mmCIF file of all heavy atoms in Angstrom:
data_model
loop_
_atom_site.group_PDB
_atom_site.id
_atom_site.type_symbol
_atom_site.label_atom_id
_atom_site.label_comp_id
_atom_site.label_asym_id
_atom_site.label_seq_id
_atom_site.Cartn_x
_atom_site.Cartn_y
_atom_site.Cartn_z
ATOM 1 N N HIS A 1 41.647 66.769 32.469
ATOM 2 C CA HIS A 1 42.642 67.822 32.296
ATOM 3 C C HIS A 1 43.924 67.371 32.986
ATOM 4 O O HIS A 1 43.903 67.059 34.180
ATOM 5 C CB HIS A 1 42.167 69.128 32.918
ATOM 6 C CG HIS A 1 40.989 69.728 32.226
ATOM 7 N ND1 HIS A 1 40.941 71.038 31.859
ATOM 8 C CD2 HIS A 1 39.818 69.212 31.821
ATOM 9 C CE1 HIS A 1 39.796 71.309 31.274
ATOM 10 N NE2 HIS A 1 39.091 70.195 31.240
ATOM 11 N N ILE A 2 45.022 67.366 32.232
ATOM 12 C CA ILE A 2 46.318 66.982 32.780
ATOM 13 C C ILE A 2 47.277 68.129 32.518
ATOM 14 O O ILE A 2 47.417 68.593 31.387
ATOM 15 C CB ILE A 2 46.853 65.690 32.124
ATOM 16 C CG1 ILE A 2 45.884 64.547 32.370
ATOM 17 C CG2 ILE A 2 48.236 65.359 32.649
ATOM 18 C CD1 ILE A 2 46.209 63.302 31.587
ATOM 19 N N ARG A 3 47.947 68.552 33.585
ATOM 20 C CA ARG A 3 48.912 69.646 33.439
ATOM 21 C C ARG A 3 50.181 69.273 34.187
ATOM 22 O O ARG A 3 50.156 69.039 35.386
ATOM 23 C CB ARG A 3 48.348 70.939 33.995
ATOM 24 C CG ARG A 3 49.257 72.112 33.770
ATOM 25 C CD ARG A 3 48.592 73.380 34.204
ATOM 26 N NE ARG A 3 49.466 74.498 33.938
ATOM 27 C CZ ARG A 3 49.319 75.684 34.477
ATOM 28 N NH1 ARG A 3 48.311 75.916 35.294
ATOM 29 N NH2 ARG A 3 50.155 76.654 34.196
ATOM 30 N N PHE A 4 51.274 69.208 33.449
ATOM 31 C CA PHE A 4 52.575 68.897 34.032
ATOM 32 C C PHE A 4 53.381 70.193 34.021
ATOM 33 O O PHE A 4 54.008 70.546 33.038
ATOM 34 C CB PHE A 4 53.282 67.815 33.204
ATOM 35 C CG PHE A 4 54.364 67.099 33.947
ATOM 36 C CD1 PHE A 4 54.201 65.784 34.326
ATOM 37 C CD2 PHE A 4 55.547 67.722 34.263
ATOM 38 C CE1 PHE A 4 55.200 65.109 34.998
ATOM 39 C CE2 PHE A 4 56.551 67.071 34.939
ATOM 40 C CZ PHE A 4 56.371 65.750 35.305
ATOM 41 N N TRP A 5 53.298 70.909 35.150
ATOM 42 C CA TRP A 5 53.968 72.200 35.267
ATOM 43 C C TRP A 5 55.458 71.975 35.438
ATOM 44 O O TRP A 5 55.843 71.087 36.175
ATOM 45 C CB TRP A 5 53.403 72.969 36.468
ATOM 46 C CG TRP A 5 54.094 74.258 36.706
ATOM 47 C CD1 TRP A 5 55.046 74.520 37.636
ATOM 48 C CD2 TRP A 5 53.911 75.468 35.967
ATOM 49 N NE1 TRP A 5 55.465 75.798 37.535
ATOM 50 C CE2 TRP A 5 54.782 76.408 36.510
ATOM 51 C CE3 TRP A 5 53.116 75.840 34.895
ATOM 52 C CZ2 TRP A 5 54.870 77.701 36.020
ATOM 53 C CZ3 TRP A 5 53.200 77.119 34.416
ATOM 54 C CH2 TRP A 5 54.064 78.035 34.980
ATOM 55 N N PRO A 6 56.336 72.663 34.796
ATOM 56 C CA PRO A 6 56.234 73.856 33.971
ATOM 57 C C PRO A 6 56.200 73.571 32.473
ATOM 58 O O PRO A 6 56.297 74.492 31.673
ATOM 59 C CB PRO A 6 57.505 74.617 34.337
ATOM 60 C CG PRO A 6 58.520 73.542 34.541
ATOM 61 C CD PRO A 6 57.742 72.390 35.162
ATOM 62 N N PHE A 7 56.031 72.327 32.088
ATOM 63 C CA PHE A 7 56.076 71.975 30.675
ATOM 64 C C PHE A 7 54.772 72.272 29.945
ATOM 65 O O PHE A 7 54.777 72.469 28.736
ATOM 66 C CB PHE A 7 56.465 70.503 30.506
ATOM 67 C CG PHE A 7 57.783 70.198 31.147
ATOM 68 C CD1 PHE A 7 57.849 69.473 32.322
ATOM 69 C CD2 PHE A 7 58.961 70.670 30.602
ATOM 70 C CE1 PHE A 7 59.057 69.218 32.927
ATOM 71 C CE2 PHE A 7 60.182 70.412 31.197
ATOM 72 C CZ PHE A 7 60.229 69.687 32.368
ATOM 73 N N HIS A 8 53.675 72.253 30.655
ATOM 74 C CA HIS A 8 52.383 72.595 30.063
ATOM 75 C C HIS A 8 51.923 73.942 30.614
ATOM 76 O O HIS A 8 51.655 74.058 31.804
ATOM 77 C CB HIS A 8 51.315 71.545 30.401
ATOM 78 C CG HIS A 8 51.578 70.206 29.814
ATOM 79 N ND1 HIS A 8 51.282 69.050 30.489
ATOM 80 C CD2 HIS A 8 52.089 69.826 28.628
ATOM 81 C CE1 HIS A 8 51.615 68.009 29.742
ATOM 82 N NE2 HIS A 8 52.113 68.463 28.609
ATOM 83 N N VAL A 9 51.819 74.918 29.748
ATOM 84 C CA VAL A 9 51.294 76.206 30.179
ATOM 85 C C VAL A 9 49.793 76.087 30.395
ATOM 86 O O VAL A 9 49.249 76.598 31.362
ATOM 87 C CB VAL A 9 51.615 77.301 29.129
ATOM 88 C CG1 VAL A 9 51.014 78.635 29.526
ATOM 89 C CG2 VAL A 9 53.116 77.422 28.949
ATOM 90 N N ARG A 10 49.137 75.400 29.489
ATOM 91 C CA ARG A 10 47.710 75.093 29.613
ATOM 92 C C ARG A 10 47.558 73.575 29.739
ATOM 93 O O ARG A 10 48.371 72.830 29.214
ATOM 94 C CB ARG A 10 46.953 75.586 28.390
ATOM 95 C CG ARG A 10 46.788 77.093 28.392
ATOM 96 C CD ARG A 10 45.965 77.547 27.224
ATOM 97 N NE ARG A 10 46.911 78.122 26.267
ATOM 98 C CZ ARG A 10 46.728 78.175 24.978
ATOM 99 N NH1 ARG A 10 45.650 77.670 24.437
ATOM 100 N NH2 ARG A 10 47.625 78.715 24.198
ATOM 101 N N PRO A 11 46.508 73.130 30.384
ATOM 102 C CA PRO A 11 46.351 71.680 30.540
ATOM 103 C C PRO A 11 46.075 70.969 29.216
ATOM 104 O O PRO A 11 45.495 71.546 28.296
ATOM 105 C CB PRO A 11 45.154 71.535 31.483
ATOM 106 C CG PRO A 11 44.495 72.848 31.526
ATOM 107 C CD PRO A 11 45.462 73.878 31.064
ATOM 108 N N VAL A 12 46.508 69.726 29.153
ATOM 109 C CA VAL A 12 46.163 68.844 28.048
ATOM 110 C C VAL A 12 44.764 68.324 28.357
ATOM 111 O O VAL A 12 44.518 67.795 29.445
ATOM 112 C CB VAL A 12 47.160 67.672 27.939
ATOM 113 C CG1 VAL A 12 46.711 66.672 26.902
ATOM 114 C CG2 VAL A 12 48.557 68.188 27.650
ATOM 115 N N ILE A 13 43.838 68.491 27.425
ATOM 116 C CA ILE A 13 42.463 68.062 27.649
ATOM 117 C C ILE A 13 42.209 66.790 26.853
ATOM 118 O O ILE A 13 42.423 66.759 25.635
ATOM 119 C CB ILE A 13 41.462 69.164 27.252
ATOM 120 C CG1 ILE A 13 41.698 70.395 28.122
ATOM 121 C CG2 ILE A 13 40.030 68.660 27.402
ATOM 122 C CD1 ILE A 13 40.886 71.603 27.729
ATOM 123 N N ILE A 14 41.772 65.761 27.552
ATOM 124 C CA ILE A 14 41.440 64.487 26.922
ATOM 125 C C ILE A 14 39.928 64.358 26.950
ATOM 126 O O ILE A 14 39.328 64.299 28.027
ATOM 127 C CB ILE A 14 42.103 63.319 27.656
ATOM 128 C CG1 ILE A 14 43.616 63.485 27.614
ATOM 129 C CG2 ILE A 14 41.676 61.988 27.067
ATOM 130 C CD1 ILE A 14 44.348 62.774 28.685
ATOM 131 N N HIS A 15 39.328 64.353 25.792
ATOM 132 C CA HIS A 15 37.880 64.209 25.692
ATOM 133 C C HIS A 15 37.533 62.727 25.820
ATOM 134 O O HIS A 15 38.045 61.894 25.076
ATOM 135 C CB HIS A 15 37.376 64.789 24.373
ATOM 136 C CG HIS A 15 37.651 66.261 24.264
ATOM 137 N ND1 HIS A 15 36.903 67.195 24.924
ATOM 138 C CD2 HIS A 15 38.614 66.945 23.600
ATOM 139 C CE1 HIS A 15 37.381 68.396 24.667
ATOM 140 N NE2 HIS A 15 38.427 68.274 23.858
ATOM 141 N N LEU A 16 36.663 62.429 26.749
ATOM 142 C CA LEU A 16 36.374 61.029 27.063
ATOM 143 C C LEU A 16 35.561 60.311 25.993
ATOM 144 O O LEU A 16 35.540 59.085 25.978
ATOM 145 C CB LEU A 16 35.686 60.929 28.422
ATOM 146 C CG LEU A 16 36.599 61.288 29.599
ATOM 147 C CD1 LEU A 16 35.823 61.290 30.904
ATOM 148 C CD2 LEU A 16 37.777 60.336 29.679
ATOM 149 N N HIS A 17 34.938 61.037 25.072
ATOM 150 C CA HIS A 17 34.224 60.346 24.000
ATOM 151 C C HIS A 17 35.211 59.693 23.018
ATOM 152 O O HIS A 17 34.828 58.846 22.224
ATOM 153 C CB HIS A 17 33.258 61.288 23.260
ATOM 154 C CG HIS A 17 33.927 62.348 22.462
ATOM 155 N ND1 HIS A 17 34.331 63.548 23.023
ATOM 156 C CD2 HIS A 17 34.269 62.398 21.159
ATOM 157 C CE1 HIS A 17 34.892 64.286 22.084
ATOM 158 N NE2 HIS A 17 34.876 63.612 20.942
ATOM 159 N N LEU A 18 36.487 60.074 23.109
ATOM 160 C CA LEU A 18 37.519 59.460 22.271
ATOM 161 C C LEU A 18 38.148 58.230 22.930
ATOM 162 O O LEU A 18 38.931 57.531 22.308
ATOM 163 C CB LEU A 18 38.616 60.480 21.953
ATOM 164 C CG LEU A 18 38.176 61.736 21.207
ATOM 165 C CD1 LEU A 18 39.326 62.713 21.094
ATOM 166 C CD2 LEU A 18 37.623 61.376 19.838
ATOM 167 N N VAL A 19 37.809 57.997 24.196
ATOM 168 C CA VAL A 19 38.377 56.869 24.941
ATOM 169 C C VAL A 19 37.520 55.634 24.710
ATOM 170 O O VAL A 19 36.327 55.633 24.979
ATOM 171 C CB VAL A 19 38.451 57.199 26.449
ATOM 172 C CG1 VAL A 19 38.926 55.992 27.243
ATOM 173 C CG2 VAL A 19 39.359 58.396 26.685
ATOM 174 N N ARG A 20 38.149 54.603 24.170
ATOM 175 C CA ARG A 20 37.455 53.337 23.895
ATOM 176 C C ARG A 20 37.179 52.583 25.178
ATOM 177 O O ARG A 20 36.071 52.145 25.450
ATOM 178 C CB ARG A 20 38.309 52.490 22.953
ATOM 179 C CG ARG A 20 37.735 51.136 22.603
ATOM 180 C CD ARG A 20 38.567 50.396 21.554
ATOM 181 N NE ARG A 20 39.991 50.595 21.703
ATOM 182 C CZ ARG A 20 40.835 49.698 22.199
ATOM 183 N NH1 ARG A 20 40.403 48.525 22.591
ATOM 184 N NH2 ARG A 20 42.125 49.963 22.299
ATOM 185 N N ASP A 21 38.228 52.398 26.006
ATOM 186 C CA ASP A 21 38.078 51.782 27.314
ATOM 187 C C ASP A 21 39.227 52.228 28.208
ATOM 188 O O ASP A 21 40.183 52.847 27.753
ATOM 189 C CB ASP A 21 37.978 50.254 27.233
ATOM 190 C CG ASP A 21 39.232 49.594 26.684
ATOM 191 O OD1 ASP A 21 40.238 50.286 26.485
ATOM 192 O OD2 ASP A 21 39.200 48.378 26.454
ATOM 193 N N PHE A 22 39.125 51.914 29.483
ATOM 194 C CA PHE A 22 40.131 52.312 30.455
ATOM 195 C C PHE A 22 40.121 51.327 31.605
ATOM 196 O O PHE A 22 39.120 50.643 31.845
ATOM 197 C CB PHE A 22 39.893 53.750 30.950
ATOM 198 C CG PHE A 22 38.532 53.981 31.525
ATOM 199 C CD1 PHE A 22 38.332 53.917 32.892
ATOM 200 C CD2 PHE A 22 37.448 54.254 30.708
ATOM 201 C CE1 PHE A 22 37.074 54.125 33.437
ATOM 202 C CE2 PHE A 22 36.191 54.459 31.236
ATOM 203 C CZ PHE A 22 36.000 54.400 32.598
ATOM 204 N N GLU A 23 41.262 51.225 32.286
ATOM 205 C CA GLU A 23 41.358 50.315 33.419
ATOM 206 C C GLU A 23 42.404 50.802 34.409
ATOM 207 O O GLU A 23 43.350 51.511 34.035
ATOM 208 C CB GLU A 23 41.704 48.901 32.962
ATOM 209 C CG GLU A 23 43.091 48.766 32.367
ATOM 210 C CD GLU A 23 43.449 47.344 31.969
ATOM 211 O OE1 GLU A 23 42.991 46.406 32.656
ATOM 212 O OE2 GLU A 23 44.180 47.179 30.994
ATOM 213 N N LYS A 24 42.211 50.437 35.665
ATOM 214 C CA LYS A 24 43.202 50.710 36.696
ATOM 215 C C LYS A 24 44.336 49.706 36.495
ATOM 216 O O LYS A 24 44.079 48.511 36.310
ATOM 217 C CB LYS A 24 42.591 50.552 38.077
ATOM 218 C CG LYS A 24 43.576 50.800 39.198
ATOM 219 C CD LYS A 24 43.020 50.275 40.512
ATOM 220 C CE LYS A 24 44.075 50.150 41.570
ATOM 221 N NZ LYS A 24 45.218 49.334 41.284
ATOM 222 N N VAL A 25 45.570 50.195 36.501
ATOM 223 C CA VAL A 25 46.712 49.315 36.265
ATOM 224 C C VAL A 25 47.812 49.550 37.293
ATOM 225 O O VAL A 25 47.931 50.627 37.862
ATOM 226 C CB VAL A 25 47.303 49.517 34.843
ATOM 227 C CG1 VAL A 25 46.335 49.092 33.775
ATOM 228 C CG2 VAL A 25 47.755 50.937 34.620
ATOM 229 N N THR A 26 48.567 48.501 37.508
ATOM 230 C CA THR A 26 49.830 48.591 38.229
ATOM 231 C C THR A 26 50.902 48.345 37.182
ATOM 232 O O THR A 26 50.833 47.371 36.438
ATOM 233 C CB THR A 26 49.905 47.542 39.353
ATOM 234 O OG1 THR A 26 48.820 47.760 40.249
ATOM 235 C CG2 THR A 26 51.209 47.636 40.103
ATOM 236 N N TYR A 27 51.861 49.238 37.098
ATOM 237 C CA TYR A 27 52.850 49.175 36.027
ATOM 238 C C TYR A 27 54.255 49.328 36.599
ATOM 239 O O TYR A 27 54.433 49.669 37.764
ATOM 240 C CB TYR A 27 52.571 50.259 34.980
ATOM 241 C CG TYR A 27 52.671 51.671 35.523
ATOM 242 C CD1 TYR A 27 53.832 52.419 35.345
ATOM 243 C CD2 TYR A 27 51.635 52.256 36.235
ATOM 244 C CE1 TYR A 27 53.942 53.696 35.860
ATOM 245 C CE2 TYR A 27 51.733 53.529 36.747
ATOM 246 C CZ TYR A 27 52.893 54.247 36.560
ATOM 247 O OH TYR A 27 52.993 55.511 37.076
ATOM 248 N N ASN A 28 55.225 49.072 35.769
ATOM 249 C CA ASN A 28 56.631 49.246 36.133
ATOM 250 C C ASN A 28 57.103 50.545 35.484
ATOM 251 O O ASN A 28 57.321 50.574 34.270
ATOM 252 C CB ASN A 28 57.444 48.050 35.630
ATOM 253 C CG ASN A 28 58.908 48.160 35.975
ATOM 254 O OD1 ASN A 28 59.411 49.215 36.325
ATOM 255 N ND2 ASN A 28 59.602 47.041 35.860
ATOM 256 N N PRO A 29 57.262 51.632 36.238
ATOM 257 C CA PRO A 29 57.598 52.919 35.630
ATOM 258 C C PRO A 29 58.882 52.893 34.811
ATOM 259 O O PRO A 29 58.928 53.450 33.708
ATOM 260 C CB PRO A 29 57.748 53.861 36.822
ATOM 261 C CG PRO A 29 57.034 53.211 37.943
ATOM 262 C CD PRO A 29 57.108 51.743 37.683
ATOM 263 N N ILE A 30 59.901 52.237 35.312
ATOM 264 C CA ILE A 30 61.169 52.217 34.596
ATOM 265 C C ILE A 30 61.125 51.219 33.442
ATOM 266 O O ILE A 30 61.532 51.518 32.325
ATOM 267 C CB ILE A 30 62.330 51.911 35.559
ATOM 268 C CG1 ILE A 30 62.456 53.072 36.552
ATOM 269 C CG2 ILE A 30 63.633 51.701 34.805
ATOM 270 C CD1 ILE A 30 63.451 52.867 37.654
ATOM 271 N N GLY A 31 60.595 50.042 33.674
ATOM 272 C CA GLY A 31 60.546 49.022 32.633
ATOM 273 C C GLY A 31 59.573 49.343 31.508
ATOM 274 O O GLY A 31 59.860 49.094 30.338
ATOM 275 N N ASP A 32 58.413 49.903 31.850
ATOM 276 C CA ASP A 32 57.394 50.162 30.836
ATOM 277 C C ASP A 32 57.564 51.508 30.139
ATOM 278 O O ASP A 32 57.247 51.646 28.961
ATOM 279 C CB ASP A 32 55.994 50.098 31.458
ATOM 280 C CG ASP A 32 55.634 48.711 31.952
ATOM 281 O OD1 ASP A 32 56.293 47.731 31.525
ATOM 282 O OD2 ASP A 32 54.706 48.600 32.772
#
């Protein structure tokens, strides 16, 4: 469940059965 207040009144729900894979990452917020 991800909720970015005040833009999300209700949380965005991501069902994990739809996730193929995932990894911990270090990223460049401005560049990426």
